[in-house]
């Protein structure tokens, strides 16, 4: 019996639609990361991008538990001495899509393959998205 290894030419990605309205950020991000990596399919191969495309709508309506809106901080380096920092509440006002993108990015592999997987994540702040032609299927939470 031979072990099946998927090839890049054999992969036929699907499109999934995730509504972020009233969903907890970390739980939703871990489900999205699993779909982007392709671990939800029996043909998962670690060195091949076997994942699907994910379209996230209503990114501004995601929720955090506890006091994370005030306590969670995002920091980044600007090239000048010191770092910039802002709370999750400020980031939601400024760039609500970046909250979800950063959470998912940190759950993916840290290599070229992970960056390729992240490019298949499409995030929109409203309920509308330009991917109607791909016919994305709604995806509910896998785990309770």
């Amino acid at each position: 019996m031979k072990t099946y290894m998927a090839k890049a030419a054999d992969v036929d990605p699907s499109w999934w639609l995730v509504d972020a309205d009233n969903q907890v950020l970390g739980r939703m991000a871990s489900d999205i990361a699993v779909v982007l990596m392709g671990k939800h399919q029996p043909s998962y191969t670690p060195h091949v991008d076997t994942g699907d495309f994910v379209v996230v709508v209503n990114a501004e309506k995601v929720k955090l538990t506890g006091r994370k809106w005030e306590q969670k901080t995002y920091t980044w380096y600007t090239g000048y001495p010191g770092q910039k920092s802002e709370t999750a509440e400020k980031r939601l006002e400024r760039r609500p899509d970046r909250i979800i993108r950063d959470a998912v990015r940190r759950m993916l592999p840290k290599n070229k393959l992970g960056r390729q997987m992240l490019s298949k994540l499409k995030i929109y702040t409203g309920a509308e998205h330009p991917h109607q032609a791909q016919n994305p299927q709604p995806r509910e939470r896998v785990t309770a």
Side-chain angles (χ1 to χ4, degrees):
M1 182 121 187
K2 294 220 173 202
T3 302
Y4 175 74
M5 291 294 210
K7 294 173 182 57
D10 299 341
V11 177
D12 185 29
S14 303
W15 284 74
W16 297 100
L17 179 67
V18 175
D19 189 4
D21 186 17
N22 206 21
Q23 287 203 36
V24 179
L25 175 65
R27 295 172 191 267
M28 180 185 65
S30 64
D31 287 343
I32 292 172
V34 166
V35 172
L36 289 175
M37 285 187 277
K39 286 191 167 186
H40 66 293
Q41 297 174 346
S43 62
Y44 169 70
T45 306
H47 63 277
V48 178
D49 186 7
T50 58
D52 295 334
F53 286 84
V54 178
V55 178
V56 180
V57 293
N58 295 321
E60 75 282 358
K61 296 181 183 176
V62 73
K63 71 177 187 179
L64 294 175
T65 58
R67 296 177 52 201
K68 291 190 189 104
W69 285 118
E70 300 88 28
Q71 292 177 347
K72 183 173 180 63
T73 59
Y74 293 93
T75 59
W76 65 96
Y77 180 61
T78 62
Y80 289 100
Q83 288 188 330
K84 291 282 242 176
S85 176
E86 70 182 355
T87 62
E89 194 171 28
K90 296 276 188 200
R91 177 153 291 191
L92 182 72
E93 294 171 8
R94 198 168 65 89
R95 299 281 304 269
D97 57 322
R98 291 298 291 260
I99 291 178
I100 296 173
R101 185 174 308 281
D102 284 345
V104 173
R105 177 181 58 86
R106 292 170 180 165
M107 295 180 187
L108 292 175
K110 278 68 172 180
N111 53 24
K112 290 180 186 179
L113 191 59
R115 289 186 289 278
Q116 182 180 345
M117 292 171 185
L118 189 63
S119 70
K120 296 196 296 186
L121 176 64
K122 315 295 182 188
I123 303 173
Y124 300 98
T125 53
E128 298 297 318
H129 62 86
H131 303 288
Q132 295 297 335
Q134 283 75 23
N135 193 19
Q137 302 300 314
R139 183 162 178 94
E140 303 299 324
R141 290 228 34 221
V142 177
T143 57

